[in-house]
Amino acid sequence: MTVTIARENAIAVVTVDNPPVNALSQALRQALVAAVSTLDADAAVKAVVLICAGRTFIAGADVGEFGKPPQPPHLPDVVATIEGAKTPWVAAIHGSALGGGLEVALGCAWRVAVPSASLGLPEVKLGIIPGAGGTVRLPRLIGPAAAVDLVTSGSPVGAKKAEGLGLIDAVVDGDLRAGAIAFANDIAGKARPQPVSSRAVAPVEAGFWEGAEKAVAGKAKREAAPLRALASVRKASETDFASAMAFERETFLELRGSEQAAALRHVFFAERAAPRPPELAGVTPRAIRSAAVIGGGTMGAGIAAALRDAGLPVVLIERDAAAVERGLANVRGIYEGSVKRGRIPQAVADERMAGVTGGDDYGLLADTDLVIEAVFEDLAVKRAVFERLSAVCRPDAVLATNTSYLDPDAISEGVSHPERFLGLHFFSPAQIMKLLEIVPTEATAPEVLATGFALARLLGKIPVRAGICDGFIGNRILKVTRAQAERLLLSGATPAAVDAAMRAFGLPMGPFEAQDLGGLDIAAFQRKAARERGETPFAPVADRLCALGRYGQKTGGGWYDYQPGDRAPKSSETVAAIIAEVAEGRAQRTWDEAGIVDAIILPMVNEATRILEERVALRAADIDLVKIHGYGFPRWRGGPMHHAEARGLSAVVAVLDRLAADGLAEPPSDSLRRAAEAGGFSVLAG
Ligand code: 3H9
């Protein structure tokens, strides 16, 4: 870390260089305070430009320091020192001015930014609120309504919008350093604006705070930080600066130590580690400049859209002209939906669509860098596809299967140059869901595996390496979730009670609602295949529902009944009667919300521990990412593995032992017991 001071005549330029993102470590805070006193002592300096080296302005407090006691100088004091400096400071922003970085900029007398810069207070995404005056200065600078938006959403705004809000004073085109120095020369002789801390907050309309509270609470559900952030902005608007600062700091310190903040920090670091697995360090991926998708159904069309959204030209291959048309129509449908929802303008949709070529001739793929197969889940059909690809594609083209349940090793039998083959498992809708399971076979070359990770980065997805087993990581755990959900029904719970408990836990949907939405037929098909292999999947009620053709919403009934044109689930007497019949002779009990959640989540953890032990997943945090980004597990709970560790693995083992004794779950695996003894999953990984 260095903070250097250079002079450009009467302007001093303070350059912060603390890679990778100029986070506000203790050493940097100290150096900024020192820079203020050095420059205040120099009468020849008329203004100071604060600028950063590297990819970004100060991107915030150092999240790595959050688990430790705060060390002085504390950031609120650093910001106050800059604000109180004799010489006015100008923040020169490129990249991202986030969290503590924006708070430092708010202490400066002026702020300028390049057009590509973004500014925001993302603290709520880490389960905290700004802790260095963000909630107090922001309403004083841009008014309470805009401050509430920025602080409670955590979403950044671009430089243009920031200028419109009054968050920055100017957008600098061209070289930032030169532009900021010119700006500083310009303001050096002028009256200095009133420090933000001593400005008044603009009044709000009657009912504003109540309305904001309702809106924020509706979005935040059980996440604590957004409402606490709102309370802090409100306090800042209704009281003096010093009291508001004290209120903000107290809230910040309280939340910093909270379980939700620890969970969100865990996810923050897991997400940043995911694209760069240490085992692939130094491996260069193959270049991907063009891509093709085989199969234009829902999944194939979604993958094609995801590839196009990342700027790749895409060829969509189907069996015949009619199927090509249907496939292209599916892709078009995705873009039409995006335009309708205001996500992209029509011109962008047209440009994306223009980059998708349809055809039934595999010869179109002779020079394609990456081909992803997304045809029907049938081994023979998939093998036939890869046979044709082997014949036409360049030998270094990467060939991938999007299979969910088949064995990629079996699919790849007969592929020429099998080292270029791997599984790329997308989640539906593929253009939206962030998770990408990357499944190497025995033969996959390291640089092909690395290409999978590079592709994920290009597509803005979270990559997780998964080993080969039935369902890989995510769907293997999902099977346990579903079996547990049925066990609950057979021991006294109702579908509505199970779904309500899981929603209360933080999932967007309960397991039964989710099955009704997605359709029960796919899982039934997989159970059939599993039984043919001699396995004994547990789904006695689902099997009965499927036998009646109750496949979910699309057939007017599944676990619930549905009125035509209405997606609201209604409890079903038919289902209740089937459950009662199947449950005949089984012990019944009363389930409360916590009991239901334990009976679903902890067996998931048990299975996940086996997955870790078998090295189907390499890290517990990877499993958390799979559940968060593929299955809607609440981010603020950190994923099932973090949740279990936070709960205490010994307690998890004890609950599973009790459930197993009543025949309501598998007993804890040896590996879970071992992890409990060691106090964490790290004993199983690596
Ligand atoms: C805060 O400021 C609280 C204050 O209000 C109160 C204080 C009292 N700390 O994302 P990338 C690392 S809360 C430590 O791949 P990009 C990251 O782990 C903070 N480390 O880069 C990774 O490490 P490695 C509010 C951090 O170019 C490397 O930097 N601020 C931090 O795609 C590269 O990260 C935020 O929440 C950090 N704050 O994107 C900002 N940030 O190379 C969070 C990053 O070892 N950061 N690292 O794996 C971001 O949004 C992105 O990193 C950013 C750059 C957009 C800046």
Side-chain angles (χ1 to χ4, degrees):
M1 194 290 298
T2 60
V3 172
T4 48
I5 300 177
R7 286 286 294 276
E8 298 281 342
N9 302 316
I11 307 300
V13 180
V14 173
T15 304
V16 170
D17 189 2
N18 188 23
V21 295
N22 294 311
L24 285 155
S25 61
Q26 192 275 339
L28 174 52
R29 299 197 297 273
Q30 185 97 53
L32 286 172
V33 171
V36 172
S37 45
T38 306
L39 294 168
D40 272 0
D42 188 340
V45 175
K46 299 293 178 235
V48 179
V49 168
L50 173 64
I51 196 166
C52 292
R55 64 174 107 161
T56 180
F57 190 76
I58 300 167
D62 188 337
V63 180
E65 284 184 3
F66 280 4
K68 305 166 197 153
Q71 295 295 322
H74 302 301
L75 194 57
D77 301 331
V78 177
V79 176
T81 304
I82 294 174
E83 190 177 54
K86 275 198 238 147
T87 322
W89 281 46
V90 179
I93 299 167
H94 76 293
S96 309
L98 297 177
L102 182 57
E103 290 173 307
V104 166
L106 291 175
C108 294
W110 310 86
R111 287 154 295 281
V112 300
V114 293
S116 59
S118 62
L119 301 91
L121 292 168
E123 282 85 346
V124 292
K125 296 187 173 167
L126 290 163
I128 55 174
I129 70 162
T135 65
V136 186
R137 284 193 178 81
L138 208 56
R140 288 173 159 71
L141 184 65
I142 64 172
V148 163
D149 275 354
L150 273 177
V151 171
T152 62
S153 73
S155 303
V157 291
K160 258 268 129 319
K161 174 134 192 232
E163 190 184 24
L165 290 172
L167 184 54
I168 60 171
D169 302 290
V171 174
V172 173
D173 289 307
D175 182 64
L176 176 62
R177 189 174 190 275
I181 291 170
F183 183 92
N185 271 313
D186 202 32
I187 53 97
K190 291 191 186 153
R192 186 168 166 172
Q194 196 184 10
V196 177
S197 61
S198 49
R199 297 185 198 178
V201 181
V204 293
E205 285 171 16
F208 170 79
W209 294 109
E210 292 69 22
E213 201 164 293
K214 220 167 143 200
V216 173
K219 271 197 212 132
K221 307 225 166 66
R222 289 182 63 186
E223 263 186 83
L227 272 179
R228 303 293 296 273
L230 177 67
S232 200
V233 179
R234 180 171 189 175
K235 186 82 173 176
S237 306
E238 293 176 345
T239 185
D240 63 280
F241 181 77
S243 315
M245 285 297 285
F247 182 83
E248 180 196 75
R249 187 74 180 166
E250 198 184 311
T251 310
F252 165 77
L253 289 175
E254 181 200 325
L255 290 182
R256 208 181 80 134
S258 69
E259 280 181 17
Q260 291 194 5
L264 288 162
R265 274 200 302 278
H266 162 75
V267 179
F268 175 89
F269 285 116
E271 284 175 348
R272 274 158 184 85
R276 290 178 290 256
E279 58 277 13
L280 288 176
V283 180
T284 310
R286 292 187 183 171
I288 301 294
R289 282 163 301 229
S290 59
V293 179
I294 314 293
T298 308
M299 205 63 200
I303 296 171
L307 294 164
R308 260 316 281 147
D309 291 347
L312 293 170
V314 176
V315 177
L316 184 68
I317 296 284
E318 261 292 357
R319 264 168 319 194
D320 51 43
V324 171
E325 273 320 305
R326 278 197 300 276
L328 290 176
N330 286 340
V331 182
R332 200 171 300 113
I334 289 172
Y335 286 126
E336 278 166 4
S338 298
V339 171
K340 219 181 276 164
R341 281 183 210 99
R343 285 206 196 115
I344 50 170
Q346 186 63 47
V348 172
D350 293 344
E351 184 269 332
R352 302 254 165 101
M353 208 50 221
V356 184
T357 313
D360 58 1
D361 173 11
Y362 277 63
L364 290 169
L365 310 180
D367 196 30
T368 304
D369 294 328
L370 165 73
V371 184
I372 302 175
E373 164 277 311
V375 302
F376 188 63
E377 285 281 281
D378 179 282
L379 186 58
V381 177
K382 286 188 189 279
R383 273 188 183 157
V385 166
F386 284 102
E387 202 173 300
R388 295 181 74 180
L389 291 175
S390 291
V392 296
C393 292
R394 283 194 333 256
D396 65 335
V398 173
L399 305 183
T401 174
N402 176 54
T403 186
S404 302
Y405 284 95
L406 297 174
D407 177 351
D409 269 322
I411 296 172
S412 72
E413 254 174 48
V415 168
S416 68
H417 304 282
E419 73 285 350
R420 42 80 171 262
F421 180 91
L422 80 171
L424 291 177
H425 184 210
F426 289 78
F427 288 72
S428 189
Q431 74 280 11
I432 291 175
M433 296 296 281
K434 286 259 176 244
L435 178 63
L436 181 65
E437 282 182 330
I438 300 184
V439 193
T441 67
E442 293 262 316
T444 305
E447 79 265 19
V448 172
L449 187 55
T451 310
F453 280 85
L455 178 76
R457 204 172 165 84
L458 185 69
L459 267 47
K461 306 241 178 259
I462 303 282
V464 171
R465 176 184 178 149
I468 295 179
C469 65
D470 194 20
F472 311 129
I473 300 173
N475 284 342
R476 176 165 158 184
I477 297 175
L478 180 64
K479 272 193 287 181
V480 174
T481 314
R482 290 191 173 155
Q484 284 307 117
E486 288 213 24
R487 287 201 170 96
L488 280 163
L489 298 186
L490 301 185
S491 58
T494 60
V498 173
D499 283 343
M502 296 316 291
R503 261 187 275 112
F505 178 75
L507 283 148
M509 243 183 267
F512 297 113
E513 300 163 299
Q515 287 179 63
D516 274 0
L517 183 65
L520 277 69
D521 41 344
I522 301 166
F525 178 74
Q526 284 149 6
R527 287 196 298 275
K528 184 165 167 275
R531 287 184 181 120
E532 278 162 14
R533 293 194 301 265
E535 294 167 24
T536 52
F538 179 80
V541 184
D543 282 338
R544 291 279 301 271
L545 299 184
C546 290
L548 292 177
R550 292 185 65 101
Y551 292 132
Q553 286 189 17
K554 60 184 173 190
T555 57
W559 290 101
Y560 297 95
D561 290 339
Y562 299 89
Q563 302 303 322
D566 184 1
R567 285 157 171 254
K570 310 260 181 308
S571 291
S572 165
E573 282 176 21
T574 314
V575 175
I578 294 172
I579 293 170
E581 227 178 275
V582 180
E584 181 83 44
R586 290 186 186 236
Q588 301 291 297
R589 62 163 73 178
T590 312
W591 289 96
D592 63 7
E593 206 172 277
I596 290 173
V597 168
D598 274 356
I600 301 256
I601 302 288
L602 303 186
M604 282 166 64
V605 172
N606 198 19
E607 185 68 15
T609 310
R610 286 195 196 95
I611 286 175
L612 202 54
E613 175 91 283
E614 292 167 22
R615 300 191 58 72
V616 166
L618 297 189
R619 286 167 278 272
D622 280 353
I623 298 174
D624 288 333
L625 293 179
V626 165
K627 296 311 291 179
I628 290 168
H629 289 291
Y631 300 83
F633 198 96
R635 190 181 172 81
W636 53 272
R637 292 209 187 260
M641 304 305 260
H642 177 88
H643 174 70
E645 282 190 332
R647 168 94 174 258
L649 296 186
S650 303
V652 171
V653 165
V655 174
L656 283 169
D657 272 331
R658 281 201 298 277
L659 285 169
D662 294 338
L664 292 169
E666 297 279 317
S669 68
D670 289 346
S671 44
L672 182 53
R673 288 189 199 281
R674 207 146 56 80
E677 268 161 34
F681 291 115
S682 54
V683 71
L684 303 176

